Amino acid sequence: MTDMSAPGLREQAASTDHLLGDGENNASQPIGVLLDVAGAGSQIALDLQRLNECMKDEDPSVALAGQVGNQVKIRVGNAWLLASVRNQRQDRRQNGGIIADVDFLGEGLEEKLTGRINAFRRGVTRYPIPGAYVYPATTADLRQIYASDGRTSIPIGTVYPTRDIRAGLYVDAMLGKHFALLGSTGTGKSTSAALILHRICEAAPEGHIVMVDPHGEYAAAFKNNGMVLDVSNLQMPYWLMNFEEHCEVLLTRTGNDRQMDADILAKCLLRARSKNRLAESMGKITVDSPIPYLLSDLSNEIQNEMGKLDKSTNTAPYMRLKTKLDELKADPRYQFMFSGMLVGDTMADFLCRIFRMPGDGRPISIIDVSGVPSDITSTVVAVLSRLVFDFAIWGRDEKTRPILLVCEEAHRYVPSEKHADDSSVGRILSRIAKEGRKYGISLGLITQRPSDLAEGVLSQCGTIIAMRLNNERDQSFVKAAMPEGARGFLDSIPALRNRECIVCGEGVAIPVRVSFDNLEEAKRPASEDPSFVDLWRQSGGEEDRVHRIVQRWRSQGG
């Protein structure tokens, strides 16, 4: 029977001393034994004295051996099994002992000369037996484990706790099954998102990436390798909206009144679309068909319908629609969408522009919706998201290239049931999450409140990049969406430093803690927090600044 006591471990350690030089002793000596084995994870006993000896090791991976969130290895025949430490507690039965739960991550063969892990792969085919010794995983082991397996990957940072092992994301696997980037405000989430997107753009300069940017942060980051579209140059034609989106913008009432208004709008909108020559050449069209129509034609149709009523019928629904339509046409804030200039058939040009087809080496389009009036922001995002989805569906026979849709502040657009407002944007993004990959659409969700996301959406993301989350509800929500083997890593989410993350899922070989690379100043988003003290020390020019702000405020960007 294997001696599980600390002296037993040290005898085993002494017996291996002569095999390697002094510099490698810590790595070659056990730090604990396996107590019991279960399917996903197991329990180990660690020797406190051996852990203290390892802490002085020059290899940072060995120095942190046995600590929560770090890796250990267990020999099984001629192979090594890698495990991640989930938690630790004192062993009350044995003085100086520690009990820890571990999650099995994968296995690799043992290199005969060095004893290191080689040919690592995820999953377990052969389990160890209780009593097997537990060893520290070295930087050399981790270098083999995190080495690229030949698939295209993008470097994003350094594997923690090593100083030089590069951490990469497998692009095809990450985009093929969607991804989510989560982290509380102030953790470096925007800069990390920009870093990942820059790396994707470098790897695929002729790609097609559409990013919805609600705060206008990313224009600065992608001005050189992307197209920035905002209210000044977006020119999104109103007639691209389907019937549901028209209802969101034009209908103001709820309940039975809303249904009555919707019936009138459906009839008049179909007639207005039918007046276009395109409709005549197509034969049958529906109220959702993206056929250009004149706003004045829609207004006239509503007027004509109202004229057919007898005196006893209520004209209020017609007046509500007509008034709202006149408001949209007259308000300069809506000119980017409801301008009389946007009546031409520019659909193909518009799609080429926002999908970057051709990309001309600038594969990302940043759709800055910060200047869009708040009452129609979600509708604008819904139209853009639906255009991505519909384009992919109708292009199935064309072998069109995949499109990546990235949504910042995703919890605003795909809210959970308790925050749901029954908007079309939530429905279309949920549909993309569930069905998008069949049609070559990848979805990237960025949010600081994962617990406010719709329940099913996060579970559809094959790769989750979790930065520090301060809120306990958010932490438990993310843990529930992640695979079992990542639990040891996930417990360290509240302890992550800025610009550090846990990555698990399809985009990596095994769960990994990563310190993100620094991004050059010119490629960073404009999301730096202001320094109150520095700015409050400066004076001069305040009155002129206030006058300029008031001028912009009054003109509303018009």
Side-chain angles (χ1 to χ4, degrees):
M1 181 176 160
T2 307
D3 186 352
M4 296 184 192
S5 66
L9 280 180
R10 282 192 282 282
E11 283 164 21
Q12 162 72 9
S15 71
T16 57
D17 272 5
H18 67 283
L19 297 177
L20 294 128
D22 290 340
E24 292 194 54
N25 278 352
N26 277 327
S28 63
Q29 297 167 8
I31 55 171
V33 290
L34 188 64
L35 295 182
D36 69 359
V37 180
S42 298
Q43 202 172 70
I44 60 173
L46 294 167
D47 177 10
L48 187 57
Q49 186 178 329
R50 282 290 298 120
L51 293 185
N52 288 332
E53 288 167 8
C54 286
M55 280 182 194
K56 298 169 190 159
D57 202 281
E58 288 182 7
D59 184 334
S61 303
V62 175
L64 291 172
Q67 295 190 22
V68 173
N70 289 283
Q71 286 82 41
V72 293
K73 60 185 184 181
I74 302 160
R75 191 190 298 280
V76 187
N78 64 343
W80 286 111
L81 190 62
L82 192 77
S84 169
V85 178
R86 191 194 308 173
N87 54 36
Q88 289 182 343
R89 59 192 174 278
Q90 193 171 12
D91 186 356
R92 298 183 194 283
R93 297 165 303 174
Q94 185 180 322
N95 190 28
I98 293 171
I99 300 292
D101 291 317
V102 296
D103 298 308
F104 296 138
L105 298 172
E107 60 192 4
L109 301 173
E110 181 184 14
E111 280 186 351
K112 286 284 179 279
L113 291 174
T114 62
R116 294 172 189 155
I117 295 177
N118 188 23
F120 182 83
R121 61 184 181 276
R122 199 191 300 199
V124 181
T125 52
R126 191 172 161 197
Y127 286 94
I129 53 173
Y133 285 117
V134 176
Y135 295 84
T138 65
T139 294
D141 290 329
L142 296 181
R143 187 169 281 113
Q144 288 281 346
I145 289 159
Y146 293 112
S148 175
D149 60 9
R151 291 180 287 170
T152 304
S153 65
I154 51 166
I156 58 164
T158 311
V159 175
Y160 177 89
T162 70
R163 300 185 191 98
D164 59 351
I165 296 179
R166 301 296 287 149
L169 292 172
Y170 295 121
V171 187
D172 288 342
M174 181 177 86
L175 300 186
K177 297 210 175 136
H178 311 315
F179 71 93
L181 173 58
L182 319 167
S184 294
T185 304
T187 55
K189 188 170 75 291
S190 301
T191 310
S192 305
L195 171 74
I196 291 168
L197 291 175
H198 273 300
R199 295 282 197 267
I200 293 173
C201 290
E202 287 161 17
E206 296 301 320
H208 310 289
I209 305 169
V210 180
M211 181 176 207
V212 177
D213 175 12
H215 300 306
E217 293 176 345
Y218 292 88
F222 292 96
K223 57 182 181 288
N224 296 325
N225 62 339
M227 175 98 173
V228 180
L229 300 164
D230 57 20
V231 288
S232 67
N233 64 347
L234 181 58
Q235 294 180 308
M236 184 168 91
Y238 56 86
W239 47 263
L240 283 175
M241 292 190 294
N242 65 15
F243 177 61
E244 184 183 8
E245 291 147 4
H246 270 89
C247 288
E248 277 186 9
V249 173
L250 293 170
L251 306 191
T252 52
R253 302 299 280 262
T254 55
N256 291 338
D257 282 351
R258 186 180 178 85
Q259 189 54 53
M260 195 186 304
D261 293 7
D263 293 341
I264 295 165
L265 178 60
K267 189 191 295 182
C268 298
L269 180 58
L270 183 57
R271 284 192 189 151
R273 287 200 197 275
S274 301
K275 291 193 170 180
N276 191 295
R277 282 203 304 273
L278 270 173
E280 291 169 15
S281 64
M282 286 177 173
K284 195 164 193 253
I285 65 162
T286 71
V287 73
D288 287 330
S289 301
I291 305 285
Y293 70 88
L294 292 168
L295 287 170
S296 55
D297 280 347
L298 179 56
S299 191
N300 291 339
E301 287 298 333
I302 295 168
Q303 184 74 46
N304 292 343
E305 282 296 306
M306 192 163 64
K308 294 176 189 172
L309 301 173
D310 55 41
K311 287 197 171 72
S312 61
T313 311
N314 184 9
T315 59
Y318 299 88
M319 291 308 297
R320 281 197 293 266
L321 279 171
K322 211 165 171 335
T323 306
K324 184 66 180 173
L325 203 54
D326 291 341
E327 277 175 24
L328 292 174
K329 286 199 291 188
D331 194 329
R333 295 175 306 154
Y334 297 91
Q335 286 298 292
F336 74 95
M337 190 172 179
F338 290 94
S339 162
M341 308 294 289
L342 297 174
V343 73
D345 182 13
T346 54
M347 185 171 177
D349 294 341
F350 182 73
L351 293 179
C352 285
R353 206 155 51 104
I354 62 166
F355 295 162
R356 310 305 301 135
M357 293 182 178
D360 298 324
R362 301 171 76 190
I364 185 166
S365 62
I366 305 292
I367 316 286
D368 175 1
V369 294
S370 60
V372 173
S374 56
D375 56 334
I376 66 162
T377 304
S378 67
T379 308
V380 169
V381 177
V383 174
L384 292 166
S385 307
R386 185 182 51 76
L387 287 175
V388 172
F389 191 67
D390 285 353
F391 180 79
I393 283 181
W394 293 108
R396 276 173 300 185
D397 301 335
E398 293 286 336
K399 290 275 186 279
T400 55
R401 292 183 180 178
I403 297 173
L404 167 59
L405 175 63
V406 183
C407 208
E408 171 71 274
E409 295 273 342
H411 60 277
R412 282 170 49 171
Y413 304 119
V414 215
S416 58
E417 279 177 24
K418 68 171 183 282
H419 296 107
D421 52 3
D422 201 37
S423 63
S424 56
V425 68
R427 281 191 290 277
I428 186 62
L429 285 174
S430 294
R431 193 172 176 202
I432 289 174
K434 291 181 186 111
E435 304 171 34
R437 59 177 176 268
K438 291 187 237 170
Y439 303 110
I441 306 171
S442 179
L443 186 62
L445 300 174
I446 305 170
T447 178
Q448 70 261 33
R449 293 305 307 270
S451 60
D452 288 347
L453 270 177
E455 284 71 13
V457 170
L458 195 59
S459 61
Q460 297 288 339
C461 293
T463 305
I464 293 179
I465 304 160
M467 303 183 77
R468 190 175 69 250
L469 289 162
N470 301 326
N471 184 292
E472 202 171 322
R473 251 180 67 240
D474 290 330
Q475 292 165 19
S476 54
F477 194 81
V478 172
K479 283 180 190 175
M482 285 208 181
E484 287 280 307
R487 279 188 185 163
F489 289 85
L490 297 181
D491 289 334
S492 61
I493 281 180
L496 291 172
R497 295 174 296 192
N498 280 5
R499 314 219 49 251
E500 272 191 358
C501 70
I502 307 289
V503 190
C504 57
E506 303 292 331
V508 284
I510 58 167
V512 57
R513 181 170 168 178
V514 177
S515 299
F516 277 112
D517 288 339
N518 282 324
L519 195 57
E520 306 93 282
E521 193 75 46
K523 293 182 175 180
R524 287 184 200 162
S527 58
E528 295 293 310
D529 294 329
S531 167
F532 285 79
V533 175
D534 290 350
L535 292 172
W536 283 355
R537 281 180 181 151
Q538 301 166 12
S539 67
E542 284 93 341
E543 288 181 4
D544 290 343
R545 197 174 300 132
V546 170
H547 283 300
R548 287 197 299 274
I549 290 168
V550 168
Q551 184 63 36
R552 279 200 297 274
W553 193 342
R554 283 180 172 152
S555 65
Q556 298 280 301

